[in-house]
Amino acid sequence: MKKILSIAITSVLMLTGCSDFLDEDLKSALSPDNTYTSTHGFEVGVTGLYEFARSEWNTWGGSDNAFTHGAATPYEILQIGTDLAVTGHNDGTLQIFDNLSYTPLTGLINSFWKFGYGLVANANQILEYSEKDVKWDKPTDKIGFQAEARFFRAYGYRYLVYLFGDVPYVDKVEDKFRVDFTRTPKAEVLNKMIEDLEFATANLPEDPDKVMVGRLTKWAAEHMLSEVYLMAGMPDKAEKAALDVINSSKFSLMKNRFGKEKEQAGDVFADMFRENNQNRTSGNMESIWVMQLEYNTTGGGGESDDWTKRAWVPKYWQLDGFVIADSLGGRGLAQLTPLTWWINGENFYDQEDIRNSEYNIKRNWYCNNPESEKYGQKTEITETLWTAGQLCPALTKFFYGVIDRGGDEGYGGNTKDRMKFRLAETYLLLAEARMQQSDLSGAAEAINIVRERAHAKAITADQATVDFLLDERIREMAGEELRRFTLSRLGKLKERTLKYNPRAQMEDKHLLWPIPQDVINSNTGAEFPQNPGWEQ
């Protein structure tokens, strides 16, 4: 499949003149002065932004990765310690986010700071060089590359403001080494993000069928703009942005079976997550932006990208009668086990809701080892097995993505493309925007469009509450959305975590992560206060 290419891009994605806490240690064999002189050079650089952005999932690196977190659970720490999941795996890196015992010295907290600012700084470099003497192939090249760079700058700040609140706003490559950064109020950063996304919306391509697979369009920018408007307390603008995407006629919720396995047992919700079914080229008209992570494919991902498969699949293979099999989700590690209140909640799913079908949540586990006397027998899920992470209901949306490792079946992660933005979430952003404007009938209408596809019962205006919306986002988006971000945006992080998660005794200080201590220590030229409650 033709994808966005990863061509030696990390060599030109480097920073200059920044303080230590904004520094990124990237490959620098090529000079930006020599690279950013033509359309081809900017194509290489912007391609690097796509690779850097998808590194939000990267675990242990790889020879071609622009960034690595150096830990097995980067995406999981933004799901755990909320109302969604706990860990069933004895992983010290993840446990401290499960029980909220992380500190300003925690490695993954520092890693996400570097990820956010690495993306910002590389976007700034492209923007700065685009204003110099460049040999453009077409008059529209300059503004097109600027639109992509500004989208990714906003994308980097999205992580930073959700996690840390007030953060330094940097919109240029610093000429001199600086140790005097100050924290910009979150509201100001959000306004800058809105400016970037409005620019991207106005200047990115409109037709998703005329861009390379995985490339941004104006609709991806407008989807994210809707979310950022909500973060900034502008629900009327958020509603308009969401409606622009919905009414564009470019996308539609998938309601009929599709893909190579459409004749096999299943349903349309499960089809969206099967191998090779994420891009428009497969017939998936719901995807707005798809990150390209397909394994062993030019422009795809590697073995260290996206281990969500391991995270959500239990360690069934430890039990007598089982062997590792990709049909059971591969080598699951139960880094995340769903909280019982929702996945086993008596009334959480409607009876006919396909998102609760066996095709989407595996609840029945049958011994699959043909050499075992238990072969074919059902193993019941018990509280003991669930707590140990050995057997629990599992989200099958993450079962797929197989790596051939010479007989070590199912060892690898989710090496398939990932839908980053899809239309179902746009409808849920629309519902959120209408709730903030007290339009509960309109909110219910938006939610019901998503529920109709799932064969769930329609709700009424009086049922359209923030808590119902958050429940619906679990039903639709569990494991896809960054749950911590959603709860933070809606002001429900502490309330719902305390209500539903017995392990996470959340305090006010946990509403934001601590600023990495290295950041504070290195910024000797100006006061750089720690987030409340994290002062040492």
Side-chain angles (χ1 to χ4, degrees):
M1 180 181 294
K2 187 178 182 182
K3 296 172 178 281
I4 298 172
L5 300 181
S6 300
I7 351 172
I9 42 79
T10 54
S11 57
V12 297
L13 290 184
M14 62 181 188
L15 311 185
T16 56
C18 295
S19 87
D20 287 345
F21 78 84
L22 292 181
D23 199 18
E24 233 357 276
D25 182 19
L26 297 177
K27 303 171 187 176
S28 54
L30 298 178
S31 165
D33 289 328
N34 295 329
T35 301
Y36 292 131
T37 60
S38 66
T39 291
H40 176 70
F42 278 87
E43 188 70 40
V44 171
V46 167
T47 297
L49 291 178
Y50 286 89
E51 181 174 341
F52 202 107
R54 73 184 185 210
S55 293
E56 66 190 75
W57 282 292
N58 187 266
T59 55
W60 296 108
S63 60
D64 295 326
N65 287 107
F67 180 86
T68 177
H69 289 284
T73 56
Y75 212 66
E76 286 65 54
I77 67 172
L78 301 172
Q79 313 278 350
I80 208 164
T82 68
D83 61 354
L84 185 66
V86 294
T87 184
H89 184 61
N90 188 24
D91 183 317
T93 303
L94 188 59
Q95 282 184 327
I96 61 175
F97 290 93
D98 188 22
N99 58 29
L100 305 180
S101 62
Y102 48 80
T103 74
L105 300 175
T106 296
L108 275 173
I109 287 178
N110 190 46
S111 175
F112 271 103
W113 180 278
K114 289 183 176 181
F115 169 77
Y117 275 114
L119 193 53
V120 165
N122 290 315
N124 284 341
Q125 186 178 76
I126 287 172
L127 289 165
E128 180 173 300
Y129 274 86
S130 71
E131 295 295 342
K132 297 185 178 184
D133 186 18
V134 179
K135 185 179 180 181
W136 301 110
D137 290 350
K138 302 188 299 293
T140 56
D141 286 349
K142 175 182 175 179
I143 201 167
F145 289 125
Q146 288 180 339
E148 286 177 289
R150 292 183 71 167
F151 172 93
F152 282 114
R153 183 165 66 184
Y155 193 79
Y157 276 117
R158 174 176 176 260
Y159 269 86
L160 293 166
V161 296
Y162 267 128
L163 295 174
F164 302 104
D166 300 344
V167 294
Y169 185 76
V170 183
D171 61 357
K172 62 181 180 179
V173 177
E174 299 291 345
D175 294 328
K176 297 180 181 180
F177 188 86
R178 285 186 58 186
V179 292
D180 61 347
F181 288 95
T182 57
R183 298 181 66 177
T184 307
K186 177 180 175 180
E188 291 183 25
V189 179
L190 289 173
N191 285 335
K192 294 293 186 181
M193 292 166 64
I194 288 169
E195 289 177 11
D196 278 347
L197 290 170
E198 288 177 340
F199 182 91
T201 297
N203 294 291
L204 285 170
E206 290 193 24
D207 191 344
D209 293 314
K210 293 183 178 179
V211 299
M212 192 178 294
V213 172
R215 201 84 182 236
L216 290 167
T217 65
K218 70 171 295 178
W219 312 113
E222 198 147 26
H223 173 99
M224 191 163 87
L225 183 58
S226 179
E227 179 188 336
V228 178
Y229 279 141
L230 288 168
M231 294 170 70
M234 303 177 184
D236 54 334
K237 293 186 176 182
E239 179 180 16
K240 181 183 182 304
L243 284 172
D244 284 347
V245 179
I246 291 165
N247 295 332
S248 69
S249 77
K250 305 296 184 183
F251 311 97
S252 58
L253 293 184
M254 297 304 295
K255 297 182 179 180
N256 299 309
R257 301 290 308 277
F258 72 102
K260 293 181 180 179
E261 301 179 38
K262 65 181 180 181
E263 303 302 328
Q264 299 181 17
D267 56 47
V268 66
F269 192 78
D271 284 344
M272 286 197 294
F273 302 96
R274 291 188 181 274
E275 208 100 32
N276 303 314
N277 278 7
Q278 286 69 58
N279 295 293
R280 291 175 71 87
T281 49
S282 69
N284 188 341
M285 296 295 105
E286 186 162 333
S287 293
I288 299 170
W289 182 34
V290 182
M291 284 192 169
Q292 304 299 297
L293 291 161
E294 184 181 347
Y295 181 66
N296 201 25
T297 301
T298 301
E303 293 185 27
S304 294
D305 290 311
D306 192 9
W307 282 9
T308 316
K309 178 179 183 179
R310 290 177 166 190
W312 283 99
V313 177
K315 296 180 282 188
Y316 64 89
W317 43 271
Q318 293 182 344
L319 300 177
D320 185 27
F322 286 92
V323 293
I324 292 175
D326 286 312
S327 60
L328 299 183
R331 185 178 178 268
L333 292 179
Q335 290 163 332
L336 297 176
T337 57
L339 286 164
T340 57
W341 76 269
W342 67 269
I343 205 159
N344 273 1
E346 183 177 352
N347 298 312
F348 191 77
Y349 288 97
D350 284 352
Q351 186 174 358
E352 302 301 323
D353 194 329
I354 63 173
R355 298 169 298 189
N356 191 39
S357 74
E358 180 68 12
Y359 305 116
N360 295 301
I361 299 179
K362 185 170 181 58
R363 302 176 183 276
N364 298 304
W365 296 85
Y366 295 90
C367 296
N368 68 330
N369 186 352
E371 299 180 4
S372 170
E373 293 180 356
K374 295 184 177 181
Y375 181 68
Q377 294 181 21
K378 183 178 179 180
T379 299
E380 297 295 338
I381 297 173
T382 66
E383 183 177 351
T384 299
L385 293 177
W386 193 325
T387 302
Q390 292 177 307
L391 213 62
C392 64
L395 300 175
T396 66
K397 63 171 70 172
F398 302 120
F399 273 28
Y400 314 106
V402 178
I403 294 179
D404 181 4
R405 296 178 59 98
D408 195 2
E409 187 179 38
Y411 184 84
N414 255 72
T415 48
K416 64 175 182 180
D417 297 334
R418 281 287 295 263
M419 293 177 287
K420 188 63 182 180
F421 299 157
R422 60 184 178 92
L423 192 64
E425 185 180 27
T426 316
Y427 277 107
L428 297 178
L429 291 172
L430 174 62
E432 184 178 334
R434 287 173 171 173
M435 282 183 188
Q436 288 192 18
Q437 299 174 88
S438 300
D439 179 9
L440 301 186
S441 295
E445 178 186 25
I447 292 170
N448 284 337
I449 292 172
V450 176
R451 288 176 63 80
E452 179 186 15
R453 188 266 297 281
H455 301 170
K457 295 177 181 177
I459 66 168
T460 56
D462 62 313
Q463 294 174 288
T465 65
V466 170
D467 283 308
F468 187 93
L469 176 62
L470 285 167
D471 289 353
E472 191 67 21
R473 288 187 71 101
I474 290 179
R475 286 184 280 264
E476 184 71 26
M477 305 292 299
E480 298 174 72
E481 68 168 352
L482 292 169
R483 188 63 176 176
R484 181 183 178 93
F485 289 8
T486 301
L487 291 169
S488 296
R489 185 177 68 251
L490 284 160
K492 288 280 191 172
L493 178 58
K494 180 181 175 182
E495 176 188 330
R496 288 193 46 122
T497 300
L498 288 175
K499 180 177 181 179
Y500 293 117
N501 189 335
R503 290 193 196 176
Q505 299 305 305
M506 183 166 283
E507 303 173 15
D508 286 346
K509 72 175 187 177
H510 295 112
L511 297 177
L512 292 173
W513 277 359
I515 302 296
Q517 195 60 42
D518 286 350
V519 171
I520 294 175
N521 293 345
S522 68
N523 199 69
T524 57
E527 183 180 1
F528 204 94
Q530 180 58 272
N531 276 330
W534 296 107
E535 302 90 346
Q536 293 187 342

